[in-house]
Amino acid sequence: MPEFDAVVVGAGPNGLSAALRLTERGFSTCVVEAKSYPGGGLHSRELGEANYVHDECSAIHPMGILSPYFRTLNLQQYGLVWRHGRSSVAHPLLDRPAAILYRDFERTIERLAPGDGRTWRRIFEPLAASGEGLLSDLMGPFKLPKHWLAALRFGLLAHRSAANLVRGKFQDTAARALFAGLAGHSILPLEHRLTAAFGLIFGLTAHLVDWPCAEGGSARIAQALVAKLREGGGVLRLGELVSDLKQLPSSKVVLFDLSPRQLSAIAGDQLPTGYRRRLDRYVYGPGTFKLDFTLDGAIPWTDPDVRGASTVHVGGTHSEIEASERAAWIGDAPTAPYLIVCQQSELDASRAPAGKHTGYAYCHVPAGYPHDVSSLIEAQIERFAPGFRDLIRTRHVTSPRDFEQLNPNFVGGAVTGGAATLGQLFTRPVARWDPYTTPNSRLFLCSGSTPPGGGVHGMCGFYAAESAIKRLNRTSGGSFLLSM
């Protein structure tokens, strides 16, 4: 008899979610993780000096708090506390007040030009009216939507490029920059089709909830998931690097919270050669360069209302953001990078000693980019927050190569599991009717390289587990390794 019904390789948020779903359905499950801690990118630690808590990767979690699956888990019972800012996103501008994305429509549009404010409301208010249902339809594999009217409204706007939408819908700098900054989370040139979808989704989430961080660090999300997993009888084994299927406990199915490249290497000849070639052609996209800092005070933004935002998009006008994201995609060296700045200590006082602050800024760079762009990041922040450099106590650099060493899923520093291009949005990592399956009926992929893609939401793991459960319900007995 097999030792487990299912083994999950990798304890990132998707691997843990897959394991949780399997245990919920009564299947014995073991998670095997190479690191000495669970969570993948959900890891927090002291980097620059004692008593300053930094998030190694993900920090602000709108998709975590709105995840259809996480919402069923009641993770607050397991110690997770969400901390919210006064707004989700601020976008500083030169010589004028910042554009700020509040949950409240009135407060958001009062900072936009009158015509653009009306347009912003016409775009987002109908989406927000069915927001949670729409997100449930969008955060998964391609399927007929349950909330078809909201999905139709979304699709009529989302199919275009973000560059096209900002020029076609908005007239003034503030609204154009605010939307372009949201679309920049796509990590694609904003001239690409479907990049408007990212701006719409992130804007929608901000009108549903003030983007939060986890009190005490993002690792607390992983710790809550593990606590619930163990309560349900799931097993977690840490510090076990898997390079071959023979290392795994015997089981009926195996799910991989890994990159397509890792799946190909570990499964070897248990997958057809042609399928492995397709996995190896998967496009991961640009890398990430991150600068963590500890500060003697809050970032001195020219517009003081920027302090209330959990996330600050620093990049100037929409044209500047477009240029930055285009350069990262085509392999050019950055000059004035578009930044995503996270202000965790503004939301969560446990991140730094009283009166001090911590946070980070990151930008998109070519995959595997070997050069230090810390000075460019600091210059961009200084541009909108004069005196920022004088407050820096310590700096900690995480280059694209560092990201891949921290987590091999982040190939070339790509932290979202792969490029969300038109050809890889719903057909990631390859085109299959069920994207979580492989040609080997007992091997499944559950990482951010499957729909709906990167982010801390667990939905890739949830849907992969649903696919594995169908397989488990069709079979009985037999060890995975003996039946290969």
Side-chain angles (χ1 to χ4, degrees), residues 41-46 53-56 58 216-220 351:
L42 291 174
H43 190 229
S44 310
R45 64 189 179 102
E46 296 176 345
V53 178
H54 299 263
D55 297 316
E56 279 198 330
S58 59
S218 293
R220 298 291 178 85
R351 301 298 187 98

Side-chain angles (χ1 to χ4, degrees), residues 6-10 18 22 253-257 442 444-446 461 464-465 468:
V7 168
V8 179
V9 182
L22 286 157
V253 297
V254 179
L255 296 85
F256 295 87
D257 184 9
R442 298 189 177 188
F444 297 81
L445 189 63
C446 68

Side-chain angles (χ1 to χ4, degrees), residues 8-20 31-35 37-43 58 69-70 218 221-223 225-226 229 236-238 255-258 407 409-410 446-448 455-462:
V8 179
V9 182
N14 285 306
L16 293 172
S17 295
L20 273 167
V31 182
V32 181
E33 166 59 45
K35 294 287 187 180
Y37 54 85
L42 291 174
H43 190 229
S58 59
Y69 184 49
F70 282 4
S218 293
I221 304 173
Q223 292 163 9
L225 291 168
V226 169
L229 174 67
L236 173 63
R237 290 165 44 169
L238 299 172
L255 296 85
F256 295 87
D257 184 9
L258 302 178
N407 188 336
N409 279 18
F410 301 155
C446 68
S447 70
V456 178
H457 45 65
M459 297 307 298
C460 308
F462 172 83

Side-chain angles (χ1 to χ4, degrees), residues 203-215:
L204 168 61
T205 62
H207 285 303
L208 296 177
V209 65
D210 295 314
W211 291 4
C213 70
E215 182 181 273

Side-chain angles (χ1 to χ4, degrees), residues 364-386:
H364 305 137
V365 294
Y369 193 70
H371 303 296
D372 191 331
V373 298
S374 300
S375 61
L376 297 179
I377 290 175
E378 291 179 17
Q380 278 287 68
I381 299 175
E382 184 82 17
R383 181 182 171 200
F384 299 95

Side-chain angles (χ1 to χ4, degrees), residues 282 416-421 423-431 435 448-454:
Y282 184 71
T416 58
T421 60
Q424 287 190 172
L425 190 59
F426 293 109
T427 58
R428 51 199 292 135
V430 301
S449 298
T450 61

